[in-house]
Amino acid sequence: KRQTIIRDLVFKITIENLTDRSKDVRILDSVPVSKTDKIEVKNIKIDPRPAEKNYQDKEGVMLWEINLAPKDNREIKIQYTLTYPKDTSISGLNL
């Protein structure tokens, strides 16, 4: 039996401007950061790239600054691979 769990996770954030004027939007989100060598977060892919990584010196926190035209929408895609032992509990993620 496999003793390691490997999960490929993808999250999408959709931002939509429903107004008739351009809007500047700031988005903060994060990727998990392992605090133990039992858990690995790898193959991190972020599209589009954030304006700032480790925002305000907080590891894993990213900032996007986006200008949305009227009635426009954008998508931010974050994906990564999470590897951990089968008997390990992961907190902070809905797995």
Side-chain angles (χ1 to χ4, degrees):
K1 278 188 165 182
R2 178 181 271 199
Q3 296 302 313
T4 302
I5 296 176
I6 300 170
R7 295 192 186 255
D8 291 318
L9 300 165
V10 178
F11 297 92
K12 292 181 182 178
I13 302 167
T14 303
I15 306 102
E16 186 173 5
N17 181 359
L18 301 174
T19 70
D20 294 326
R21 295 190 295 181
S22 290
K23 296 288 182 177
D24 291 323
V25 180
R26 292 173 54 115
I27 310 283
L28 286 172
D29 203 350
S30 62
V31 294
V33 175
S34 177
K35 302 293 185 193
T36 174
D37 59 354
K38 291 182 183 179
I39 302 169
E40 287 184 68
V41 181
K42 54 188 177 183
N43 302 327
I44 299 171
K45 296 177 185 158
I46 303 168
D47 184 43
R49 290 179 173 254
E52 189 175 333
K53 290 183 179 181
N54 297 326
Y55 179 70
Q56 293 185 344
D57 295 323
K58 295 178 184 159
E59 189 176 9
V61 177
M62 297 163 293
L63 167 71
W64 288 267
E65 296 178 324
I66 299 172
N67 179 272
L68 286 173
K71 310 298 182 194
D72 191 13
N73 67 59
R74 300 274 177 85
E75 186 175 271
I76 297 171
K77 184 176 172 183
I78 302 170
Q79 62 186 59
Y80 52 88
T81 301
L82 190 61
T83 305
Y84 57 96
K86 186 177 183 178
D87 62 348
T88 300
S89 160
I90 303 291
S91 63
L93 293 175
N94 296 325
L95 301 177

